[in-house]
Amino acid sequence: MKTILTTLFATAIAAVATAQRPDEALIRVKYNFSHMTDTNKRQNFFKETMMVTAGKNASVFSSYDNALYAEETKAALEQQSREQVGVATPTFKMPPRKKATSRAAVYYYANEHKLFIQEQLGAMYLVERDADKIDWKITLETQQIEGINCKKATAHYRGRNWIVWFSEDLPFATGPWILVGLPGLIIQAHDDRKEVMFEFAGLEKIENKQKKSAKKIGEEHDMKGFLGSSDSLTKNLIELPDKAIRATPEEIKKLREAMKKDPQGFIKTQMAAMGFGGLTPISTGQRTTPPPAEIMNNPIDKSKP
């Protein structure tokens, strides 16, 4: 594990340098996400509120629930930081998570047809790859979803038969997960078995306002790359995380295996490698809900071996 981390941090700790420029965020759509993760318990669905934030070229798909938790965490850590001014070795306690949420994100750049998968494994990692060209079949069927004019499209993609409703009135070639490439924003999507569903839960226009932020805890301890961004609901730019570490899918797999084998040692090694060795490991607090079931025999991407 130490070798993996040392190699990654030595080669990629600097800010991610790409040709992908920041894009102004124009719209945000929320989805009620439902996923049958275990086919042996078909009545049980993992549920989470997700969102797509879109601009003219770029978009990002992420967890709305996790963004709310990040804001709560930011406020709590800033308060603790103020209370420990002058303390040589401050300690921090994160508020407990009320529910399991996804900390991954998918950035899509339509003009370049590129995807960047953000993985939060202690530190933040970024995997780049070309977006798939999905063979969408646009039908003649139409309907209105909450007053939005939509067209129906279908595709067999990543082992599932997808049915989506998109709106050409919202000219953003993006949607939930990695369902992209239609001439309009995907408002609703599900597979033909309804094992995976993204149901429309609201849409808002993002105001172009530049807000001055107070001093963040990350400015003092440079922990943004470790904790992730906490301003995804307030910033009006879509841009790749500047503290992300470039990695390959194979490296991510090895990191996941290392984390599963020794969670505490994994986090401690990551903190030390990022220069946080003098800080006391962050407490996750007492859980208020049990962790999600580990059984996953029905991934969204069924093309994976």
Side-chain angles (χ1 to χ4, degrees):
M1 178 176 67
K2 186 175 181 180
T3 301
I4 299 170
L5 293 171
T6 301
T7 302
L8 283 172
F9 282 108
T11 58
I13 191 63
V16 177
T18 71
Q20 280 65 43
R21 297 180 178 178
D23 197 9
E24 181 184 349
L26 301 175
I27 196 170
R28 179 180 294 114
V29 59
K30 293 192 292 185
Y31 305 88
N32 290 326
F33 170 56
S34 300
H35 178 201
M36 180 197 298
T37 58
D38 183 1
T39 55
N40 296 314
K41 298 179 180 179
R42 302 190 69 85
Q43 73 280 8
N44 293 343
F45 282 78
F46 172 79
K47 295 185 178 182
E48 186 174 4
T49 304
M50 307 298 290
M51 63 181 177
V52 167
T53 304
K56 291 181 179 180
N57 178 45
S59 64
V60 56
F61 171 68
S62 58
S63 169
Y64 180 79
D65 289 340
N66 192 64
L68 292 178
Y69 173 74
E71 286 191 339
E72 178 186 354
T73 300
K74 172 189 171 185
L77 294 179
E78 287 178 346
Q79 177 62 31
Q80 293 172 50
S81 182
R82 287 191 292 270
E83 293 171 351
Q84 300 181 79
V85 172
V87 177
T89 307
T91 59
F92 300 98
K93 182 177 181 180
M94 297 178 72
R97 287 182 178 270
K98 298 176 182 178
K99 60 181 294 186
T101 60
S102 170
R103 292 199 285 172
V106 178
Y107 292 83
Y108 173 58
Y109 290 82
N111 293 343
E112 299 87 345
H113 210 55
K114 287 281 188 182
L115 288 175
F116 293 83
I117 314 300
Q118 174 186 308
E119 297 273 2
Q120 193 83 32
L121 299 171
M124 188 185 297
Y125 295 89
L126 206 61
V127 178
E128 176 183 354
R129 69 176 180 82
D130 293 333
D132 296 327
K133 184 172 177 58
I134 303 175
D135 187 19
W136 292 110
K137 308 294 184 186
I138 299 176
T139 75
L140 298 177
E141 293 183 62
T142 62
Q143 71 162 316
Q144 281 200 342
I145 299 176
E146 299 293 332
I148 302 172
N149 296 319
C150 297
K151 290 183 177 181
K152 182 180 179 181
T154 62
H156 180 77
Y157 179 59
R158 298 265 172 167
R160 293 185 183 273
N161 295 316
W162 288 95
I163 300 164
V164 308
W165 293 91
F166 71 98
S167 176
E168 291 180 320
D169 294 338
L170 300 169
F172 306 96
T174 189
W177 189 42
I178 50 176
L179 300 174
V180 299
L182 280 164
L185 182 68
I186 294 176
I187 299 298
Q188 208 150 275
H190 62 82
D191 71 326
D192 60 347
R193 292 174 172 263
K194 292 193 174 180
E195 295 176 347
V196 182
M197 294 179 284
F198 297 94
E199 299 178 290
F200 179 73
L203 184 149
E204 64 176 307
K205 179 182 178 181
I206 299 175
E207 298 295 332
N208 185 7
K209 295 179 181 179
Q210 296 291 341
K211 297 182 179 180
K212 292 184 179 180
S213 58
K215 184 177 180 180
K216 302 183 180 74
I217 184 172
E219 293 176 2
E220 183 178 353
H221 296 297
D222 196 23
M223 295 179 70
K224 184 177 179 182
F226 188 78
L227 295 173
S229 174
S230 59
D231 58 359
S232 58
L233 294 179
T234 57
K235 65 189 297 186
N236 68 339
L237 282 179
I238 301 168
E239 56 185 341
L240 296 176
D242 60 356
K243 295 295 182 180
I245 301 159
R246 288 299 193 109
T248 66
E250 293 74 21
E251 288 168 335
I252 293 295
K253 182 179 179 180
K254 291 179 180 179
L255 287 167
R256 287 187 181 280
E257 292 171 351
M259 182 173 64
K260 185 176 181 180
K261 184 177 180 180
D262 181 11
Q264 293 299 321
F266 180 84
I267 295 298
K268 184 177 180 180
T269 303
Q270 292 235 318
M271 291 182 72
M274 294 183 71
F276 303 144
L279 294 179
T280 299
I282 298 170
S283 169
T284 58
Q286 184 177 0
R287 289 184 181 271
T288 56
T289 57
E294 293 186 1
I295 297 177
M296 168 64 80
N297 62 18
N298 189 33
I300 299 178
D301 185 351
K302 294 183 71 69
S303 66
K304 292 184 178 180

CSV table of all heavy atoms in Angstrom, one decimal, residues 8 125-128 245-255:
chain,number,residue,atom,x,y,z
A,8,LEU,N,1.9,7.5,-6.4
A,8,LEU,CA,0.9,8.4,-6.9
A,8,LEU,C,1.1,9.8,-6.4
A,8,LEU,O,1.0,10.8,-7.2
A,8,LEU,CB,-0.5,7.9,-6.4
A,8,LEU,CG,-1.1,6.7,-7.1
A,8,LEU,CD1,-2.3,6.2,-6.4
A,8,LEU,CD2,-1.4,7.1,-8.6
A,125,TYR,N,-9.1,11.3,-6.0
A,125,TYR,CA,-8.4,10.8,-7.2
A,125,TYR,C,-9.3,11.2,-8.4
A,125,TYR,O,-10.5,11.3,-8.3
A,125,TYR,CB,-8.1,9.3,-7.1
A,125,TYR,CG,-7.2,9.0,-6.0
A,125,TYR,CD1,-7.6,8.7,-4.7
A,125,TYR,CD2,-5.8,8.9,-6.3
A,125,TYR,CE1,-6.7,8.4,-3.7
A,125,TYR,CE2,-4.9,8.6,-5.2
A,125,TYR,CZ,-5.4,8.3,-4.0
A,125,TYR,OH,-4.5,8.0,-3.0
A,126,LEU,N,-8.6,11.2,-9.6
A,126,LEU,CA,-9.3,11.5,-10.8
A,126,LEU,C,-8.8,10.6,-11.9
A,126,LEU,O,-7.6,10.5,-12.2
A,126,LEU,CB,-9.0,13.0,-11.2
A,126,LEU,CG,-10.0,13.7,-12.1
A,126,LEU,CD1,-11.4,13.8,-11.3
A,126,LEU,CD2,-9.5,15.1,-12.4
A,127,VAL,N,-9.8,9.9,-12.6
A,127,VAL,CA,-9.5,9.0,-13.6
A,127,VAL,C,-10.1,9.6,-14.9
A,127,VAL,O,-11.3,9.9,-15.0
A,127,VAL,CB,-10.1,7.6,-13.4
A,127,VAL,CG1,-9.8,6.7,-14.6
A,127,VAL,CG2,-9.5,7.0,-12.1
A,128,GLU,N,-9.2,9.8,-15.9
A,128,GLU,CA,-9.7,10.3,-17.2
A,128,GLU,C,-9.9,9.2,-18.2
A,128,GLU,O,-9.1,8.3,-18.3
A,128,GLU,CB,-8.6,11.3,-17.7
A,128,GLU,CG,-8.9,11.9,-19.1
A,128,GLU,CD,-7.8,12.8,-19.6
A,128,GLU,OE1,-6.9,13.1,-18.9
A,128,GLU,OE2,-7.9,13.2,-20.8
A,245,ILE,N,-5.7,13.8,-7.5
A,245,ILE,CA,-4.5,13.1,-7.9
A,245,ILE,C,-4.8,12.2,-9.1
A,245,ILE,O,-5.8,11.4,-9.0
A,245,ILE,CB,-4.0,12.2,-6.7
A,245,ILE,CG1,-3.7,13.1,-5.5
A,245,ILE,CG2,-2.8,11.4,-7.1
A,245,ILE,CD1,-3.7,12.4,-4.2
A,246,ARG,N,-4.1,12.3,-10.1
A,246,ARG,CA,-4.3,11.5,-11.3
A,246,ARG,C,-4.1,10.0,-11.0
A,246,ARG,O,-3.1,9.7,-10.4
A,246,ARG,CB,-3.5,12.0,-12.5
A,246,ARG,CG,-3.9,13.3,-13.1
A,246,ARG,CD,-5.3,13.2,-13.7
A,246,ARG,NE,-5.5,14.4,-14.5
A,246,ARG,CZ,-5.6,14.3,-15.9
A,246,ARG,NH1,-5.5,13.2,-16.5
A,246,ARG,NH2,-5.9,15.4,-16.5
A,247,ALA,N,-4.9,9.2,-11.5
A,247,ALA,CA,-4.7,7.7,-11.3
A,247,ALA,C,-5.4,7.0,-12.4
A,247,ALA,O,-6.2,7.5,-13.2
A,247,ALA,CB,-5.4,7.3,-10.0
A,248,THR,N,-4.9,5.7,-12.6
A,248,THR,CA,-5.5,4.8,-13.6
A,248,THR,C,-6.5,4.0,-12.9
A,248,THR,O,-6.6,3.8,-11.7
A,248,THR,CB,-4.4,4.0,-14.2
A,248,THR,OG1,-3.9,3.1,-13.2
A,248,THR,CG2,-3.3,4.8,-14.8
A,249,PRO,N,-7.4,3.3,-13.7
A,249,PRO,CA,-8.4,2.4,-13.1
A,249,PRO,C,-7.7,1.3,-12.3
A,249,PRO,O,-8.2,0.8,-11.3
A,249,PRO,CB,-9.1,1.8,-14.3
A,249,PRO,CG,-9.0,2.9,-15.4
A,249,PRO,CD,-7.7,3.5,-15.2
A,250,GLU,N,-6.6,0.8,-12.8
A,250,GLU,CA,-5.8,-0.3,-12.1
A,250,GLU,C,-5.3,0.2,-10.7
A,250,GLU,O,-5.4,-0.5,-9.8
A,250,GLU,CB,-4.6,-0.7,-13.0
A,250,GLU,CG,-5.0,-1.5,-14.2
A,250,GLU,CD,-5.5,-0.5,-15.3
A,250,GLU,OE1,-5.2,0.7,-15.3
A,250,GLU,OE2,-6.3,-1.0,-16.2
A,251,GLU,N,-4.8,1.5,-10.7
A,251,GLU,CA,-4.4,2.0,-9.4
A,251,GLU,C,-5.5,2.2,-8.4
A,251,GLU,O,-5.4,2.0,-7.2
A,251,GLU,CB,-3.7,3.4,-9.7
A,251,GLU,CG,-2.3,3.2,-10.3
A,251,GLU,CD,-1.7,4.5,-10.9
A,251,GLU,OE1,-2.5,5.4,-11.1
A,251,GLU,OE2,-0.5,4.5,-11.0
A,252,ILE,N,-6.7,2.6,-9.0
A,252,ILE,CA,-7.9,2.8,-8.1
A,252,ILE,C,-8.3,1.5,-7.5
A,252,ILE,O,-8.6,1.3,-6.3
A,252,ILE,CB,-9.0,3.4,-8.9
A,252,ILE,CG1,-8.7,4.9,-9.3
A,252,ILE,CG2,-10.3,3.3,-8.1
A,252,ILE,CD1,-8.6,5.8,-8.1
A,253,LYS,N,-8.2,0.4,-8.3
A,253,LYS,CA,-8.6,-0.9,-7.8
A,253,LYS,C,-7.6,-1.4,-6.7
A,253,LYS,O,-8.1,-1.9,-5.7
A,253,LYS,CB,-8.5,-1.9,-9.0
A,253,LYS,CG,-8.9,-3.3,-8.6
A,253,LYS,CD,-8.8,-4.3,-9.8
A,253,LYS,CE,-9.2,-5.7,-9.4
A,253,LYS,NZ,-9.1,-6.7,-10.6
A,254,LYS,N,-6.3,-1.1,-6.9
A,254,LYS,CA,-5.4,-1.5,-5.8
A,254,LYS,C,-5.6,-0.7,-4.6
A,254,LYS,O,-5.5,-1.2,-3.4
A,254,LYS,CB,-3.9,-1.3,-6.3
A,254,LYS,CG,-3.5,-2.3,-7.4
A,254,LYS,CD,-2.1,-2.0,-7.9
A,254,LYS,CE,-1.7,-3.0,-9.0
A,254,LYS,NZ,-0.3,-2.7,-9.5
A,255,LEU,N,-5.9,0.6,-4.7
A,255,LEU,CA,-6.2,1.4,-3.5
A,255,LEU,C,-7.4,0.9,-2.8
A,255,LEU,O,-7.5,0.9,-1.6
A,255,LEU,CB,-6.4,2.9,-4.0
A,255,LEU,CG,-5.1,3.6,-4.4
A,255,LEU,CD1,-5.4,4.9,-5.1
A,255,LEU,CD2,-4.2,3.9,-3.2
